[in-house]
Amino acid sequence: MPRLAAAPVLVRVLALCAALCSLAACTAVDSAGGPAAGTKGATSVGVAFSRGGRGDRSFNDSVGAGVDRAKAELGVTAKELSPNAAGSDLEEILRLLAQTGHNPVLAVGFFYAQPLAKVAPAFPRTQFVIIDDATVKLPNVTNVVFREEQASYLVGAAAALKSATGRIGFVGGVQTPPQEKFLAGYEAGARAVKPAIQLSSVFMSQPPDFSGFSAPDKAQEAARGMYDGGADVVYHAAGASGLGVFQAAKAAGKWAIGVDVDQRKTVDPGLAGVILTSATKQLDVAVLSIVRDAAAGRPIAGVREFGLKEGGVGYATSGGELTDIQPRLEELRKQIVSGQIKVPVRPAESR
């Protein structure tokens, strides 16, 4: 039985190897995990996307935009891989990208933390970059983190100011500390401008189950329940599952709030009108900055943090739905940047 069970894994490994080595273009590596002597050429970036890969119109696509900019502006090449639906091949993907000479290797999402902690020491000459995680502390690992709670604070304030019912909602993907930052900021911002606001929240799954990022049907059902319960604005931080929230908002004739990118510009036109705003992360800017430094031979190890002060997060204003409250939101933004407002990173019920 063990030999039979291993067969699918072998098939997966061979398939990934074939993809990486297509046209006999694999880059040689030496025993230290770096390019072998004599190899040359432009920087080749390895991209290990989170579940769903490109096409989520959110997190992955924003990273992909940064990779595209790096290819166009810096002349780098890139190889992109996405994990299987179960996420059981994260370590395998990182290892394959490093073995085939890609450097740096981008690990897109905090759930790569444990696999990366195993793989990075085996390739000391490869620089790994993990996005949305600061827990992997190794000399060849760069941690890119964002102050999502700050952007969430601003869209929380917008939700409360725009709510006519005094009830708002939040749909998260997977309940982890990084995801809880979205809820914490949203809740704090809403209560800062309307202390009596009522907030309903739910996460689609609990780790190690990360299916909450790719379950739009479940998200639609959750959001529908919030709208039926009186909420008139629901914020999602759930990756591809957010589509379900937008669909529920349209059916209910209520507002939704997007995440990571200005989703009013990326969703189908029929859904754009329900998106009040989006809490944005400039993932493309961060990726381009990291790859530019790596291509120039500059050290990139350590923690790189992007918040409101650094222009790494913000909120979308397309559609003009925030025009009447934008002066208030800008006042709050300046107070966060100055340090006058300290945005929590844990929801009230867990503090």
Side-chain angles (χ1 to χ4, degrees), residues 104-286:
V105 172
L106 309 183
V108 183
F110 57 84
F111 38 77
Y112 276 101
Q114 290 186 2
L116 180 58
K118 296 179 182 179
V119 174
F123 299 91
R125 292 178 57 189
T126 298
Q127 190 66 37
F128 294 88
V129 180
I130 184 166
I131 297 174
D132 269 357
D133 177 83
T135 66
V136 184
K137 304 293 187 181
L138 292 169
N140 62 329
V141 172
T142 302
N143 308 93
V144 176
V145 293
F146 295 85
R147 300 296 302 272
E148 298 98 341
E149 73 279 6
Q150 294 181 347
S152 296
Y153 186 100
L154 297 178
V155 301
L161 291 170
K162 285 291 188 177
S163 175
T165 64
R167 295 189 66 91
I168 60 176
F170 172 85
V171 175
V174 182
Q175 190 167 8
T176 63
Q179 278 272 289
E180 288 185 334
K181 290 165 63 179
F182 290 94
L183 175 56
Y186 183 64
E187 176 184 49
R191 294 201 166 129
V193 299
K194 192 176 290 187
I197 197 78
Q198 297 183 59
L199 170 65
S200 301
S201 64
V202 65
F203 287 92
M204 293 293 92
S205 65
Q206 301 289 324
D209 176 7
F210 290 94
S211 64
F213 290 121
S214 54
D217 291 346
K218 288 177 62 178
Q220 183 177 15
E221 181 180 352
R224 184 187 302 118
M226 293 176 184
Y227 291 127
D228 288 346
D232 53 358
V233 187
V234 175
Y235 172 36
H236 93 84
S241 295
L243 175 63
V245 176
F246 300 149
Q247 291 169 335
K250 182 173 183 179
K254 304 292 177 62
W255 288 117
I257 295 177
V259 75
D260 292 337
V261 298
D262 183 353
Q263 292 199 278
R264 192 181 183 101
K265 295 181 178 179
T266 64
V267 300
D268 293 335
L271 294 175
V274 306
I275 301 177
L276 176 66
T277 181
S278 296
T280 59
K281 289 199 293 189
Q282 300 305 119
L283 289 153
D284 58 334
V285 173

Side-chain angles (χ1 to χ4, degrees), residues 22-35:
S22 60
L23 303 179
C26 281
T27 302
V29 295
D30 63 17
S31 59

